Amino acid sequence: MSELPNLYTMLYSRLVMNGMLFSLYKVFVMLISSSCCEAKVKLPPNVVVKAVYAFGDSIVDQGNNNNILTTPVKCNFPPYGKDFMGGIPTGRFSNAKTPPDMIAKELGLKELIPAYPDPNLKDEDLKTGVSFASGGSGYDPRTSTINSAIPLSAQLNHFLEYIGKLKELVGEEEGNYILNNSLFILVAGSVDIAGLTGSYYEDVIRQKLYDIDSYTNLLAAYAFDFVQELYKLGARNIAFLGVPPLGCLPAQRTLAGGPARMCAEEYNQASELANTKFSIAIDSLHKKFPQYKLVFIDAYNSLLDCIVNPQKYGLEEVQKGCCGSGNIEVSILCNKFSGICEDDTKYLFWDSYHLTEKGYRILVDRIIKNYTNSFS
């Protein structure tokens, strides 16, 4: 196992983009940072959203893993970003934009949510939101350790550092106002349960210590503590994304779905169990802090509906990813040598774990439609 990071580093060094691509990205970011977008979401009366912050795993990692040499969970190389600003891979786990970008634009804040360590980060970005998330991270600290990802505890530390910068920029009162009137997106749990590495089903040590019922209890307890810490730091509006039907991800169909690559029911049942525990934890937090909005987002049924009724969303392929064979490729296994599908707009999944931009757009549209009024 000790030789794996070196292998990942070698593969990554061969896949990394050239300097001109970075230069084009910088120019584009400078251009879009100077203008904003029109809000499309009609917020409830007396609700103001000043910024969007993201915590958790690869779904909302906007490039935080790019400079972590020891992690295999990165994607700042082609074909990731194929449809992003002329084909620039930035560390977003998709072919183009991801949920934080889409939500920020719908709210009229800005076109893109950057990663906190982005060297092009500007003062305006500090005031309107960044992502602290890290691909391969989970509620269970062991998950992040195995994947060499940024654990949630460190993401909180980065957020605390960010708060200092924000208040230095706008002052104590305005800084608190921004934090209290921003949207915090929390996405984690999937890698804990069924990631390719570092997950419950891949870790015999965890399975000896916990059955899936007690392990999901542990995840809910970690989630409960993390949300409390966010509250202490000023978060008052938190969108808590539940776990999707993990057994229906292309990689899990391949690994645990049998010869026919059916949805792995054991993994789906674990997803539902975790969501039940998370929902209970959120209810208890509501009772403890009734003055803030903590909304559980049902990603399970939203994604499952896309898989069961693809034609309703203009999709044709929901069992495979667009990258490579579509069965197993993700992160460094999805690279410029893998090949891609002819038309990714017909695909729900970009790689074997993450959605295409179209897939994320479907999910975000459903979230906005079903949950906006929950923050009133």
Side-chain angles (χ1 to χ4, degrees):
M1 288 296 291
S2 61
E3 296 178 5
L4 284 176
N6 292 330
L7 173 62
Y8 290 138
T9 303
M10 282 176 49
L11 287 170
Y12 168 68
S13 66
R14 295 179 62 185
L15 297 169
V16 72
M17 65 184 108
N18 60 46
M20 180 160 301
L21 216 50
F22 275 122
S23 298
L24 289 172
Y25 172 55
K26 291 177 182 178
V27 170
F28 188 89
V29 169
M30 288 174 65
L31 288 173
I32 63 173
S33 295
S34 63
S35 61
C36 192
C37 38
E38 183 180 350
K40 297 180 182 179
V41 178
K42 185 177 180 180
L43 294 172
N46 302 318
V47 173
V48 176
V49 179
K50 301 294 291 183
V52 171
Y53 304 101
F55 297 83
D57 61 25
S58 57
I59 305 302
V60 289
D61 181 350
Q62 307 294 87
N64 285 285
N65 277 16
N66 289 355
N67 296 318
I68 305 176
L69 295 179
T70 54
T71 183
V73 190
K74 59 176 62 181
C75 61
N76 56 334
F77 44 78
Y80 287 97
K82 178 182 78 72
D83 303 303
F84 187 87
M85 303 186 313
I88 299 176
T90 60
R92 289 167 170 81
F93 287 79
S94 186
N95 60 303
K97 291 183 178 181
T98 53
D101 302 317
M102 297 173 183
I103 292 171
K105 184 174 182 179
E106 291 290 321
L107 291 169
L109 293 172
K110 54 187 175 184
E111 289 281 344
L112 303 172
I113 291 291
Y116 178 56
D118 190 328
N120 302 301
L121 202 67
K122 300 185 179 302
D123 288 349
E124 192 60 32
D125 288 316
L126 288 176
K127 293 190 288 184
T128 51
V130 293
S131 170
F132 303 93
S134 174
S137 184
Y139 291 117
D140 183 348
R142 181 173 168 80
T143 303
S144 303
T145 299
I146 293 173
N147 288 313
S148 297
I150 304 169
L152 286 174
S153 57
Q155 292 180 35
L156 275 178
N157 289 336
H158 294 165
F159 180 49
L160 187 60
E161 177 185 88
Y162 159 85
I163 291 173
K165 293 180 180 179
L166 176 67
K167 292 184 177 180
E168 183 178 347
L169 178 67
V170 302
E172 182 80 16
E173 184 177 349
E174 178 65 14
N176 287 332
Y177 179 77
I178 290 173
L179 294 172
N180 293 166
N181 292 277
S182 293
L183 178 64
F184 290 74
I185 305 170
L186 176 56
V187 184
S190 295
V191 187
D192 293 309
I193 297 170
L196 276 181
T197 57
S199 72
Y200 175 82
Y201 285 108
E202 298 297 322
D203 187 350
V204 294
I205 294 177
R206 277 195 184 103
Q207 291 180 41
K208 287 180 179 178
L209 294 173
Y210 308 99
D211 59 18
I212 192 60
D213 184 56
S214 58
Y215 187 64
T216 50
N217 281 336
L218 180 71
L219 296 183
Y222 277 126
F224 183 96
D225 291 342
F226 182 80
V227 172
Q228 283 197 108
E229 292 302 313
L230 276 183
Y231 179 83
K232 291 177 185 177
L233 294 176
R236 295 295 181 269
N237 302 285
I238 302 175
F240 187 111
L241 199 73
V243 177
L246 296 172
C248 293
L249 301 185
Q252 300 306 344
R253 284 178 180 269
T254 301
L255 296 172
R261 297 186 68 252
M262 303 296 288
C263 290
E265 280 307 310
E266 183 179 4
Y267 292 4
N268 279 354
Q269 290 169 9
S271 303
E272 291 186 288
L273 186 61
N275 286 333
T276 298
K277 307 292 179 63
F278 290 146
S279 182
I280 292 170
I282 288 171
D283 286 342
S284 64
L285 279 165
H286 269 309
K287 294 174 182 177
K288 187 173 183 179
F289 304 110
Q291 67 273 35
Y292 85 103
K293 308 297 186 300
L294 176 58
V295 179
F296 179 82
I297 307 294
D298 178 12
Y300 186 97
N301 287 299
S302 292
L303 191 58
L304 191 62
D305 193 46
C306 292
I307 294 167
V308 174
N309 302 298
Q311 67 287 344
K312 187 164 77 173
Y313 302 96
L315 299 168
E316 294 182 11
E317 178 57 73
V318 296
Q319 297 185 15
K320 295 183 177 182
C322 175
C323 185
S325 68
N327 294 334
I328 199 68
E329 292 86 350
V330 63
S331 193
I332 61 170
L333 297 179
C334 173
N335 56 62
K336 65 182 181 181
F337 305 109
S338 303
I340 55 173
C341 63
E342 187 173 329
D343 184 358
D344 56 56
T345 65
K346 297 177 180 178
Y347 280 65
L348 177 61
F349 294 96
W350 168 248
D351 60 25
S352 67
Y353 262 82
H354 306 96
L355 304 186
T356 56
E357 181 181 55
K358 180 171 181 176
Y360 282 132
R361 168 53 61 192
I362 293 168
L363 184 61
V364 167
D365 285 348
R366 287 183 63 119
I367 289 172
I368 290 171
K369 178 182 177 181
N370 295 334
Y371 296 99
T372 298
N373 288 332
S374 298
F375 290 95
S376 61

